[in-house]
Amino acid sequence: MRKPIIAGNWKMNNTIKEAKDLIENLKPLVVDSNVDIVICPSYLSIEAAVELTSGSPIKVGAQNMHYEESGAYTGEVSGEMLKELGIEYIIIGHSERRQYFNETDETVNKKVIKALKLNLNPIVCVGETIEERENNKAKEVVTTQVKNALAGLSQEEISNLIIAYEPIWAIGTGKTASSDDANEVCGWIREVVKELSDQSIAEKIRIQYGGSVKPDNIKELMGQTHIDGALVGGASLKADQFAALVNY
Ligand code: 13P
């Protein structure tokens, strides 16, 4: 049985003060939850988030990292720096990073390898554009993204990954993929993982859906056979809404 994992990707939202307020409001609402709960604030709020969530079921992740340990990469943050702050998860390859910040399958792969070396749990994001879906290319695109992201990983490393299927057309648009469509793609992803490792790892690995997940659609999504959690943007910014997702 795979334990569900609900993660909030705060994106470029919340000052440190706002982050602290949100965490304080969230904590009492999720004490009895049976799922893994992760919040991914901006780098600046990570230290406060780790401190404030200590002793609570909430774990902290980051939204990105560089694959090098240090060096002349102005504006970047390394996995080592994040690890020192006490994060446990790292979102890698979010479509917004692919779209606006030149993230490629190759850099995603380097970051996944680095994160695993640091014992961070990567949440690897994949997903197709609306044009790709309309041209029946979704399967090909997602399959390629997963294969490239996981290239060179050992079976054990693969078993420690979380993969998030986030169709780009569903992100921040209010258009959720139907639960059947989302489940179908998560099933394809599980097949690819099986090809790259084996049946037991494919059955163990957790696959999230992301894209306009809200309190009114979480239950149906989570009821699908291949969907083990959600990666949530907008609805993770309000304590009551995120708590409703966690306590679905
Ligand atoms: P929304 O939940 O705002 O659609 O964002 C999804 C997302 O990109 C999470 O990483």
Side-chain angles (χ1 to χ4, degrees):
M1 209 34 206
R2 299 182 293 265
K3 187 173 184 193
I5 175 165
I6 310 286
N9 173 9
W10 291 4
K11 309 192 179 182
M12 196 175 73
N13 293 292
N14 292 328
T15 63
I16 298 175
K17 181 182 180 312
E18 288 164 346
K20 288 180 178 170
D21 289 346
L22 176 49
I23 292 166
E24 290 296 11
N25 291 333
L26 180 64
K27 275 201 294 190
L29 305 178
V30 296
V31 276
D32 296 323
S33 123
N34 312 312
V35 308
D36 283 340
I37 310 168
V38 183
I39 55 169
C40 301
S42 85
Y43 290 141
L44 293 176
S45 300
I46 286 177
E47 192 170 8
V50 170
E51 205 176 295
L52 287 175
T53 55
S54 156
S56 86
I58 305 169
K59 306 290 182 203
V60 180
Q63 300 172 18
N64 179 40
M65 59 169 231
H66 200 279
Y67 50 81
E68 294 290 353
E69 177 176 350
S70 61
Y73 300 101
T74 303
E76 287 293 303
V77 169
S78 73
E80 282 82 356
M81 295 170 186
L82 294 165
K83 178 85 185 169
E84 188 183 72
L85 291 178
I87 65 158
E88 294 181 43
Y89 293 85
I90 178 98
I91 299 173
I92 296 177
H94 191 279
S95 63
E96 285 149 17
R97 296 218 55 89
R98 294 178 191 255
Q99 189 177 355
Y100 305 128
F101 303 102
N102 286 327
E103 189 85 82
T104 63
D105 283 0
E106 194 188 344
T107 57
V108 168
N109 179 243
K110 286 182 175 176
K111 290 177 182 189
V112 169
I113 291 169
K114 183 58 185 263
L116 289 165
K117 276 211 176 88
L118 292 170
N119 279 326
L120 295 171
N121 300 298
I123 300 178
V124 183
C125 303
V126 297
E128 80 285 359
T129 63
I130 191 67
E131 293 78 24
E132 289 160 347
R133 173 151 286 265
E134 283 169 354
N135 292 318
N136 286 324
K137 290 267 193 300
K139 187 169 189 176
E140 184 186 327
V141 168
V142 170
T143 299
T144 303
Q145 287 174 336
V146 174
K147 283 189 174 164
N148 289 342
L150 276 52
L153 298 188
S154 68
Q155 301 214 347
E156 198 202 323
E157 287 173 324
I158 292 177
S159 73
N160 289 320
L161 296 177
I162 295 149
I163 299 178
Y165 167 56
E166 298 205 308
I168 294 169
W169 47 272
I171 295 177
T173 57
K175 278 191 225 159
T176 324
S178 73
S179 50
D180 284 347
D181 284 350
N183 193 48
E184 181 180 36
V185 181
C186 292
W188 296 338
I189 293 171
R190 209 175 290 288
E191 274 303 307
V192 178
V193 171
K194 185 173 143 192
E195 253 178 64
L196 298 174
S197 56
D198 64 24
Q199 174 92 27
S200 72
I201 291 173
E203 273 165 23
K204 179 186 161 210
I205 194 170
R206 293 183 291 182
I207 304 176
Q208 297 175 309
Y209 166 78
S212 300
V213 176
K214 302 279 185 274
D216 63 4
N217 56 30
I218 182 84
K219 214 170 173 157
E220 184 170 347
L221 287 161
M222 292 303 293
Q224 304 303 309
T225 48
H226 291 297
I227 300 179
D228 309 312
L231 184 56
V232 186
S236 71
L237 298 172
K238 296 262 180 337
D240 57 342
Q241 286 193 26
F242 191 59
L245 299 180
V246 165
N247 299 320
Y248 71 93

